Amino acid sequence: MINTENRKKIIDLIQREVVPAVGCTEPAAVSLCVAKATELLGCLPSEIKVRLSTNILKNAMGVGIPGTGMIGLPIAIALGALIGKSEYGLEVLRDVNDETVARGKEYINTHNIDIKLFENAPSNLHIDVEVCHDTDRVRATISRQHTNFVYLEKNRAVIFNEEPVAESATEGTAEGKEDFQLDLHTVWEFASESPLEEIDFILEARRLNSAAAELALKAPYGHSLGSTMRDFGTPLFGDTPIAHMISLTSAACDARMGGAPVPVMSNSGSGNQGICATMPVVSYAADIKASDEQLVRALILSHLTSIYIKQSLGRLSALCGCVVASTGAASGLVYLMGGNYEQVAAAVKNMVANLTGMICDGAKPSCAMKISSGVGTAMMSAMMAMQGHCVTAAEGIIDEDVDRTIRNLTSIGRDAMRATDLYVLDIMTCK
């Protein structure tokens, strides 16, 4: 049994990592940094210079900005300066409307917005913004985590300075090495044994992400994969739990990547990961008429498994986040199927044996397709585990120890795929 002190640390970790976000978290973080710099400047900037790490630039290029009908960084930057409020965090652009979008378009056309790659950034998640007006100049820097300001300066006077550290295996969480370090058995114990009243806050993830899914099932967003699966897909996939899971999960992603002005519950800085860790579990729980307690514990298991994997992977990498979140979902599905810890560990190994190597080529509407692949694999991995089938240590990167298996996965995504990240960005920027 996890003691009270450690249980509180884990709850604090979840509440830092599972938070609402409007739109894709990478352009939202850029808007947040611009908004903070503009607030310190005290007036609307005449010039904005933005320098971004590879992964931020990659994930912000092709995604819809909520409420604008536009994609990419220029409108996110303009609105960050015009209406952004840093106190809103990743909901920085919650006040966007038609009038502010028109102002944003005018700002793009009449002001200098300069966006460049930050060469050799100290972190995969790094945003450096400089805003100017007349002789006044402000610089703001976010690093390691989407809302983590590490440097603020106005007219060469340093206001705040927490030097960004070199990237490490622990940069995946909000506080790096100070966070409670997990293993899969601790995740299982926490999810299955914690007092229900201490963890039922996770039901807010169901509310927010289900609302995003329902929105995209009623109106066209992204590639409309969710509604396609529900309508055209029913004769092919049937009216089944797996079809429901794929439809609802991809619909929520359609809404988010298509720029719907609604918040979703994120996980480890990613809305898509939050959706993928939530909606398969929510959908399956509804189909089997699970109790609220079963759903709460399954959602905690799913989200905390994803957080655990991100502790060693890092916030952003060349490895698609659906690999992480759908592994969490597989754990939650095993719980709903009545499985035990050994079966959860088997499902995790099955996931790693299948999806390792799926690349992230930026946040965009087609992310719904990758998430759907993760959802299908999660159900398959959970079913195999429940039937006593598990990929063995004689196969590929799987280890007898599930935690070492996870570290094998994350070392590939964090270290071995670094060159892939740069190559993908080069392709994206040279088309």
Side-chain angles (χ1 to χ4, degrees):
M1 182 71 178
I2 300 172
N3 64 43
T4 302
E5 181 182 356
N6 285 340
R7 200 166 66 243
K8 288 180 178 178
K9 289 180 180 178
I10 296 173
I11 290 170
D12 183 57
L13 173 61
I14 296 172
Q15 291 179 329
R16 286 200 308 271
E17 297 291 357
V18 181
V19 297
V22 176
C24 180
T25 47
E26 277 69 58
V30 176
S31 292
L32 174 62
C33 201
V34 172
K36 185 69 170 180
T38 301
E39 289 165 0
L40 290 174
L41 185 66
C43 63
L44 189 66
S46 57
E47 181 179 0
I48 304 175
K49 296 180 180 179
V50 179
R51 301 294 179 264
L52 305 172
S53 61
T54 301
N55 292 85
I56 290 288
L57 187 58
K58 181 181 70 175
N59 281 343
M61 288 174 59
V63 68
I65 307 302
T68 69
M70 302 173 69
I71 65 170
L73 282 165
I75 189 65
I77 291 169
L79 290 175
L82 287 165
I83 62 155
K85 291 183 174 63
S86 64
E87 65 194 76
Y88 291 170
L90 291 179
E91 296 181 272
V92 59
L93 298 183
R94 70 164 69 156
D95 295 333
V96 66
N97 55 40
D98 290 344
E99 187 270 332
T100 58
V101 172
R103 290 171 56 202
K105 292 177 180 178
E106 181 182 0
Y107 188 93
I108 292 170
N109 292 330
T110 58
H111 292 74
N112 183 15
I113 298 177
D114 183 42
I115 306 166
K116 285 189 171 60
L117 176 67
F118 192 121
E119 300 283 354
N120 301 313
S123 168
N124 278 349
L125 195 167
H126 197 81
I127 303 164
D128 193 88
V129 169
E130 182 179 294
V131 296
C132 303
H133 184 76
D134 292 335
T135 59
D136 290 326
R137 169 188 168 277
V138 169
R139 182 182 165 206
T141 304
I142 286 175
S143 194
R144 302 191 304 276
Q145 197 256 353
H146 291 80
T147 59
N148 184 41
F149 284 93
V150 297
Y151 189 81
L152 299 171
E153 170 195 303
K154 181 172 184 179
N155 296 333
R156 301 189 181 277
V158 176
I159 300 169
F160 176 74
N161 184 13
E162 179 190 289
E163 285 298 326
V165 298
E167 189 165 321
S168 68
T170 58
E171 83 159 356
T173 56
E175 301 296 332
K177 66 183 180 181
E178 296 179 7
D179 268 336
F180 189 91
Q181 294 302 296
L182 299 164
D183 57 63
L184 193 63
H185 193 267
T186 300
V187 170
W188 166 262
E189 281 189 313
F190 177 85
S192 58
E193 298 176 7
S194 294
L196 187 63
E197 65 273 13
E198 293 185 5
I199 58 174
D200 61 2
F201 62 84
I202 199 67
L203 289 176
E204 183 69 359
R206 174 181 63 177
R207 186 184 74 82
L208 291 180
N209 293 348
S210 294
E214 290 302 321
L215 180 65
L217 291 174
K218 295 174 182 175
Y221 285 98
H223 295 300
S224 297
L225 178 57
S227 57
T228 298
M229 279 294 302
R230 181 197 60 184
D231 301 330
F232 182 76
T234 298
L236 300 173
F237 288 86
D239 187 17
T240 63
I242 184 63
H244 301 160
M245 289 163 56
I246 293 174
S247 176
L248 285 172
T249 308
S250 58
C253 184
D254 287 334
R256 178 174 179 264
M257 294 289 94
V262 294
V264 301
M265 192 65 82
S266 66
N267 182 296
S268 303
S270 167
N272 281 351
Q273 286 171 198
I275 289 167
C276 193
T278 302
M279 292 311 298
V281 177
V282 168
S283 177
Y284 185 66
D287 277 334
I288 66 171
K289 295 179 171 54
S291 68
D292 278 352
E293 177 171 354
Q294 288 173 307
L295 175 58
V296 165
R297 296 192 185 281
L299 282 174
I300 286 288
L301 181 59
S302 177
H303 277 275
L304 192 56
T305 298
S306 301
I307 291 168
Y308 165 43
I309 297 172
K310 293 292 283 189
Q311 281 186 327
S312 58
L313 177 62
R315 289 230 169 235
L316 300 175
S317 73
L319 187 69
C320 179
C322 86
V323 177
V324 175
S326 57
T327 300
S331 302
L333 293 174
V334 169
Y335 183 89
L336 290 174
M337 292 175 182
N340 57 29
Y341 169 70
E342 287 71 25
Q343 289 162 321
V344 166
V348 169
K349 291 181 184 180
N350 293 340
M351 290 295 294
V352 174
N354 191 322
L355 286 184
T356 298
M358 181 183 284
I359 65 166
C360 171
D361 54 343
K364 59 207 176 302
S366 60
C367 286
M369 299 170 68
K370 292 188 177 185
I371 281 181
S372 296
S373 297
V375 172
T377 303
M379 178 57 97
M380 178 175 64
S381 297
M383 290 190 304
M384 288 177 61
M386 292 302 294
Q387 291 296 309
H389 300 296
C390 179
V391 178
T392 69
E395 303 173 68
I397 66 170
I398 306 305
D399 194 284
E400 286 291 346
D401 181 84
V402 67
D403 295 297
R404 282 199 291 270
T405 297
I406 288 171
R407 288 193 291 274
N408 291 343
L409 165 72
T410 58
S411 65
I412 289 171
R414 186 186 64 245
D415 301 322
M417 296 177 73
R418 283 182 183 271
T420 301
D421 233 5
L422 296 173
Y423 202 85
V424 166
L425 181 63
D426 185 62
I427 292 173
M428 291 173 66
T429 55
C430 293
K431 289 189 294 183

